[in-house]
Amino acid sequence: VTAQVRKVPSGTAITSGTGLYLTTDSITTGRLADIATTGNTWTGNGTTNGLVNIASSSTAGTASDSDIVLNIARSGANAQLAHTAYGLYSTVTNTNVTSGTNVAGYFSASGATTANTAISIGALSTAAATNTGILLSTLTGGTTSNYQISTGVLTSATPTTNAQLNLGGIVTTGGTTNYGINVGALSGSG
């Protein structure tokens, strides 16, 4: 396997193009890149700095267009049966001495004058047998409180529309069963 890394020299302005290239001719079971810390010495930096930081403070976005800080794309026809392809996969399995919390994904959006959306789920392919915007796996309960979905208090100073959960309509051309919300059986004692 031949890997190539090219970068623009420090201090060189980039008005268009790419500052860092990392390419390889083929990978079968390996990785294109590994970024890791070993020895259990990384203490973290609160919520301001991560092990790897990707940041942009650009204010020169093109009018009526979009900017993307991190773009992850995966495509191609898979030749194997029963394969699951992930675009982003995150796990946090830290154990804690006491009063610890693990968060696998944190998203925040603020500052826009028209709309702020922390998570936006785009269109789903209707060619698949099953399409799920959000799939919640089995929750194995803790000893105090268990929530599959928990929302904070919605506080608004505007008299317009406010909703904790807003479901759009369902448009189908032959669906046998359609649900806005489908809640499975509830069981338990107490």
Side-chain angles (χ1 to χ4, degrees):
V1 175
T2 303
Q4 297 179 354
V5 178
R6 292 185 293 152
K7 69 175 188 173
V8 173
S10 178
T12 304
I14 301 174
T15 56
S16 65
T18 304
L20 176 67
Y21 293 90
L22 177 60
T23 59
T24 184
D25 54 1
S26 66
I27 296 178
T28 304
T29 58
R31 295 179 177 93
L32 179 60
D34 263 346
I35 301 172
T37 180
T38 59
N40 296 323
T41 58
W42 186 64
T43 60
N45 303 298
T47 57
T48 57
N49 290 299
L51 185 58
V52 176
N53 282 350
I54 301 173
S56 172
S57 59
S58 173
T59 59
T62 306
S64 300
D65 203 353
S66 300
D67 291 327
I68 299 173
V69 173
L70 176 63
N71 187 0
I72 300 173
R74 180 175 178 157
S75 62
N78 195 295
Q80 307 303 319
L81 297 175
H83 174 77
T84 302
Y86 293 94
L88 179 63
Y89 190 97
S90 171
T91 58
V92 178
T93 58
N94 285 73
T95 56
N96 302 286
V97 175
T98 184
S99 301
T101 302
N102 290 335
V103 178
Y106 175 81
F107 304 91
S108 175
S110 63
T113 56
T114 302
N116 292 299
T117 304
I119 298 176
S120 176
I121 299 173
L124 301 173
S125 171
T126 57
T130 303
N131 296 296
T132 306
I134 298 175
L135 175 63
L136 302 175
S137 297
T138 301
L139 173 75
T140 303
T143 57
T144 307
S145 300
N146 302 291
Y147 303 99
Q148 191 74 307
I149 297 175
S150 177
T151 63
V153 176
L154 184 136
T155 304
S156 176
T158 60
T160 56
T161 303
N162 300 292
Q164 275 286 44
L165 178 62
N166 183 18
L167 301 176
I170 296 174
V171 178
T172 180
T173 57
T176 306
T177 307
N178 304 290
Y179 298 102
I181 296 178
N182 181 15
V183 178
L186 302 176
S187 62
S189 60

